[in-house]
Amino acid sequence: MERAAVFDVDGTLVDTNHLHVATWWEAFRQAGHQVPMHAIHRSVGLPSEDLITRVLGEERDKDQDGELSAAHKTLYAQYFDRLPALEDAGRLLRRLHHDGWRVVLATSASGPELSALRRALSADEAIHATASADDVEEGKPAPEPVEHALELAGVPAERAVFVGDTVWDMRAATRAGVRCVGVLCGGIPRADLEEAGAEAVYDDPAHLLADLEGSPLA
C-alpha cells in the first residue's frame, strides 16, 4: 500500500515564522495597534482571520481585517526572492520520495507565496501534491487541510504521518486521525507540541533526516 508524508511548510521546512511575526507586527502597527510579538508568534500557522482574532480579540473592528491581511501579505512578499529553506529540508523530501513515500505539502500559503516556498525548497521532483489555502474552506487547526492532503495522496489516515511545527498542525493532524511528528525550528516548545499530539519531536528537518530510521517515518 502507498503511504503519505504530509508536511506543513512555514516554520517546518522553510525558516519563515519570524518573518511572519515581524510583518504581521508591522501590519498591526501601521493600523494603530501595538501588540506584543510573542502573541503573534503563538498565532502563526492560523488562517489570517483567526490570527487577527487571537491577537486583537472578538470585539475588534472586523472591517479592518481585510486591510490588515493585505498589509501583511504586501510586507511579507518583500522576502519572496530570498526565503531560506531549513537545513536538509529538500534532502529530507527527496529521501522520503526515494523511500516510496508520497510527499504532500499542506500549507496555508497559496499563489505567489506558495511558489516562493517551493523555490526555496528546490525539491519539486519529490513533491507528489500540494494542499493549499485555496483548496479548503477551513484552515488548521481544523482537520480539512490534512484530510485534503490525504485525498491528493490517495492514502488513508492510518498510512500517513504529518510533520509540523505548531500546535495548530498537531491538532489538525490528530483530528484527521494521522500520526504527528513535531519540529522545534518554528519556535514552539516541545511540551506544547507533545500536548497537542506529537508522538515524536525533532529539532529541525536535518535532525529528522539523521534519525529517520528511528522515527515514525522509518
Side-chain angles (χ1 to χ4, degrees), residues 18-206:
H18 290 88
L19 294 176
H20 279 297
V21 171
T23 51
W24 270 115
W25 177 85
E26 178 61 16
F28 284 124
R29 189 198 67 80
Q30 290 178 4
H33 302 288
Q34 298 299 324
V35 298
M37 289 195 185
H38 69 82
I40 301 172
H41 182 213
R42 289 296 217 170
S43 304
V44 167
L46 289 171
S48 293
E49 183 178 343
D50 293 341
L51 183 149
I52 295 168
T53 299
R54 277 183 60 87
V55 173
L56 296 183
E58 290 284 358
E59 302 306 315
R60 71 190 185 281
D61 177 6
K62 295 182 182 179
D63 290 340
Q64 200 178 48
D65 285 8
E67 294 177 10
L68 285 166
S69 182
H72 163 256
K73 289 180 179 179
T74 299
L75 291 161
Y76 182 66
Q78 299 175 84
Y79 300 99
F80 280 1
D81 63 346
R82 55 193 187 279
L83 298 180
L86 286 153
E87 183 182 0
D88 284 343
R91 284 186 60 204
L92 174 61
L93 300 188
R94 288 189 288 271
R95 168 65 184 278
L96 291 169
H97 173 68
H98 177 269
D99 289 350
W101 291 82
R102 289 187 174 175
V103 176
V104 182
L105 307 182
T107 173
S108 59
S110 61
E113 180 183 348
L114 178 56
S115 297
L117 291 167
R118 291 187 65 145
R119 284 196 303 273
L121 288 170
S122 189
D124 275 355
E125 71 278 10
I127 299 170
H128 178 80
T130 300
S132 80
D134 293 334
D135 303 321
V136 297
E137 293 185 6
E138 285 191 85
K140 304 165 192 170
E144 189 177 352
V146 181
E147 292 169 345
H148 182 57
L150 297 179
E151 292 173 3
L152 293 173
V155 172
E158 61 270 18
R159 295 283 299 171
V161 176
F162 182 91
V163 183
D165 69 298
T166 69
V167 296
W168 321 118
D169 291 327
M170 302 300 103
R171 291 175 184 173
T174 299
R175 290 168 181 172
V178 176
R179 299 170 69 191
C180 303
V181 171
V183 288
L184 300 173
C185 42
I188 301 302
R190 177 186 300 270
D192 290 8
L193 296 175
E194 290 176 340
E195 183 179 353
E199 67 174 75
V201 179
Y202 296 87
D203 293 338
D204 52 25

